[in-house]
Amino acid sequence: MANFGEFNVRDRAVLYPEVEEEAAPQAAAAPSVGSSFFSSLSQAVKQTAASAGLVDAPAPAAARKAKVLLVVDEPHTDWAKCFRGKKVLGDYDIKVEQAAFSELNLVAHADGTYAVDMQVLRNGTKVVRSFRPDFVLIRQHAFGMAENEDFRHLVIGMQYAGLPSINSLESIYNFCDKPWVFAQLVAIYKTLGGEKFPLIEQTYYPNHKEMLTLPTFPVVVKIGHAHSGMGKVKVENHYDFQDIASVVALTQTYATAEPFIDAKYDIRVQKIGNNYKAYMRTSISGNWKTNTGSAMLEQIAMSDRYKLWVDTCSEMFGGLDICAVKAVHGKDGKDYIFEVMDCSMPLIGEHQVEDRQLITELVISKMNQLLSRTPVLCPQRPLTTQQPQLAHMCQTSGQVQESVSVHQEC
């Protein structure tokens, strides 16, 4: 048998000399067959994934001393520029990852581990990169009635992962239905009264079947949960109201109706942290939707009345770090509050740069406050304890990407 073994070795050396030359020194240096196999496999997976552009190459130790901030926003604002040079927890840099909801996905485990996947363009090709954010700033609506605008599942995933955020994920989820938010305004109205909190009258219809009781016309009907004037119709008479009810039947959603206010101008009172601003917007084009068409915007004095509105609204859903109250001032001389916006509110006026700076400082303050007491959810483990799992996950390329990325970020 010894001669037979020697014959096989010599025969293999003749047929595959390059394999024999590489295998010999590895066999001599390897402490064990198992550890050599898993070490080679892990290295091969990492090199292959990095060369293919599926994951980032491991960063140097100095570069990894940073906290990752995920900003959910459209690309028109460069939030990385706002946070450049800023630090948290003493000496941690802030690495900003910015993407819209439509470019994100995630997986979260009950043990506290998670990974966010983000689509990025590299050399004109879309690839997916995984990372572990430490904090989230959300500047985009999480839900809309238009097609492909429902991202509530991502908010749920972030909450499942226990990610701290501005505003809180609980409040962002609660803001995904405007009548649900309006119900909070009704509660404030009942507490403060109409003199201090002049809330507009509104009727809620869970579906078109209940749109039988005719309101006093003209009214504004709002269909479902929409933004920027979408799904909002002015109805002059009961014939038009019946037509709108038939449209609501097709949408299979709820609707609200409120009296039409002949507005002189509309009011927006915003709060970012402890900073307050009030604006007056007057329509120039004559459109009854003051946020549509040409309008003149000017900043006005912040009164105690306005401050009471926004301070009280900022307490809903456990607290809103960023919010704004919208109202109209009618030609009858009265104010009518009709909506409150959360952290997805657009920035307006001449002080947008200042407002972005205020948001930046608010995020840093919250990161210092929350991350200092956040336990480490993904401790560094010996490589040998992760390699069998890595070998198992090599069966599909998508799983390889996830496992390598999570391992690198932890």
Side-chain angles (χ1 to χ4, degrees):
M1 293 299 295
N3 292 336
F4 185 73
E6 293 174 0
F7 173 79
N8 279 340
V9 170
R10 288 196 303 269
D11 184 55
R12 184 170 180 269
V14 172
L15 294 177
Y16 309 105
E18 68 284 355
V19 174
E20 186 68 19
E21 290 172 1
E22 294 176 3
Q26 290 178 2
S32 67
V33 175
S35 62
S36 175
F37 170 76
F38 286 124
S39 177
S40 301
L41 178 60
S42 175
Q43 188 65 26
V45 169
K46 292 178 182 178
Q47 291 177 354
T48 303
S51 62
L54 297 176
V55 298
D56 287 340
R64 283 200 297 268
K65 192 175 182 181
K67 294 298 181 181
V68 180
L69 170 66
L70 170 61
V71 180
V72 183
D73 197 2
E74 300 293 343
H76 52 70
T77 301
D78 184 5
W79 286 99
K81 182 179 179 181
C82 298
F83 285 91
R84 188 169 298 139
K86 308 291 186 181
K87 292 184 180 294
V88 292
L89 301 179
D91 58 349
Y92 283 89
D93 293 327
I94 300 176
K95 180 182 179 183
V96 175
E97 300 282 3
Q98 180 173 340
F101 269 124
S102 59
E103 300 170 315
L104 296 174
N105 215 330
L106 61 83
V107 61
H109 305 281
D111 63 358
T113 59
Y114 58 90
V116 172
D117 295 336
M118 181 173 71
Q119 291 184 5
V120 294
L121 279 175
R122 286 185 180 168
N123 300 323
T125 303
K126 277 189 176 181
V127 297
V128 177
R129 186 162 58 82
S130 294
F131 59 95
R132 277 177 51 91
D134 298 289
F135 197 91
V136 183
L137 168 63
I138 296 183
R139 293 281 300 137
Q140 185 184 8
H141 296 299
F143 177 61
M145 294 294 293
E147 187 178 4
N148 299 324
E149 286 189 358
D150 187 355
F151 303 106
R152 288 175 292 184
H153 61 289
L154 294 177
V155 177
I156 294 172
M158 293 176 184
Q159 177 72 2
Y160 197 99
L163 280 171
S165 69
I166 287 182
N167 285 344
S168 71
L169 294 170
E170 296 95 328
S171 70
I172 289 169
Y173 192 84
N174 278 309
F175 264 83
C176 288
D177 280 294
K178 288 191 174 182
W180 185 264
V181 178
F182 197 89
Q184 302 297 310
L185 298 180
V186 172
I188 296 173
Y189 168 80
K190 291 179 179 178
T191 301
L192 297 180
E195 189 66 29
K196 293 182 177 180
F197 197 79
L199 184 66
I200 196 169
E201 296 180 6
Q202 189 181 87
T203 303
Y204 171 75
Y205 302 100
N207 51 61
H208 74 285
K209 297 177 182 178
E210 304 303 323
M211 298 179 70
L212 301 175
T213 304
L214 298 180
T216 302
F217 298 98
V219 296
V220 175
V221 176
K222 299 176 180 178
I223 304 174
H225 180 82
H227 306 283
S228 304
M230 293 182 62
K232 187 161 64 172
V233 184
K234 181 183 177 184
V235 180
E236 299 283 357
N237 52 60
H238 69 279
Y239 298 108
D240 293 339
F241 190 78
Q242 291 173 351
D243 289 341
I244 289 299
S246 66
V247 174
V248 174
L250 294 178
T251 61
Q252 298 182 355
T253 186
Y254 51 74
T256 60
E258 56 196 38
F260 170 74
I261 305 300
D262 192 5
K264 187 176 180 179
Y265 54 84
D266 69 349
I267 304 165
R268 169 170 149 164
V269 186
Q270 72 179 38
K271 181 180 181 182
I272 302 175
N274 294 319
N275 181 270
Y276 300 84
K277 289 186 178 72
Y279 293 94
M280 176 179 71
R281 182 169 53 186
T282 307
S283 177
I284 297 176
S285 60
N287 195 305
W288 68 271
K289 297 179 183 179
T290 53
N291 62 348
T292 304
S294 300
M296 182 175 64
L297 181 72
E298 65 176 297
Q299 188 172 358
I300 57 178
M302 186 71 192
S303 66
D304 292 339
R305 177 178 172 85
Y306 294 160
K307 189 174 184 296
L308 176 65
W309 293 357
V310 73
D311 277 343
T312 309
C313 289
S314 69
E315 296 174 359
M316 64 173 59
F317 303 130
L320 308 175
D321 298 296
I322 302 172
C323 66
V325 176
K326 296 175 69 175
V328 293
H329 183 81
K331 292 181 179 178
D332 58 2
K334 298 179 180 179
D335 293 329
Y336 300 87
I337 297 172
F338 65 90
E339 186 181 2
V340 59
M341 299 183 291
D342 68 347
C343 55
S344 61
M345 68 181 193
L347 302 180
I348 60 174
E350 300 177 352
H351 303 286
Q352 296 182 35
V353 174
E354 177 190 341
D355 288 344
R356 282 192 290 270
Q357 184 62 31
L358 289 169
I359 293 175
T360 300
E361 297 300 329
L362 179 61
V363 170
I364 293 173
S365 174
K366 284 289 183 178
M367 290 180 72
N368 281 321
Q369 175 187 345
L370 298 176
L371 296 184
S372 61
R373 62 172 185 258
T374 301
V376 178
L377 298 179
C378 189
Q380 183 70 38
R381 300 182 180 89
L383 188 60
T384 54
T385 63
Q386 292 189 5
Q387 287 168 344
Q389 181 182 4
L390 182 65
H392 172 72
M393 298 184 77
C394 284
Q395 296 175 6
T396 62
S397 59
Q399 290 173 320
V400 168
Q401 174 193 347
E402 176 186 335
S403 62
V404 172
S405 302
V406 173
H407 176 69
Q408 290 176 349
E409 292 291 340
C410 289

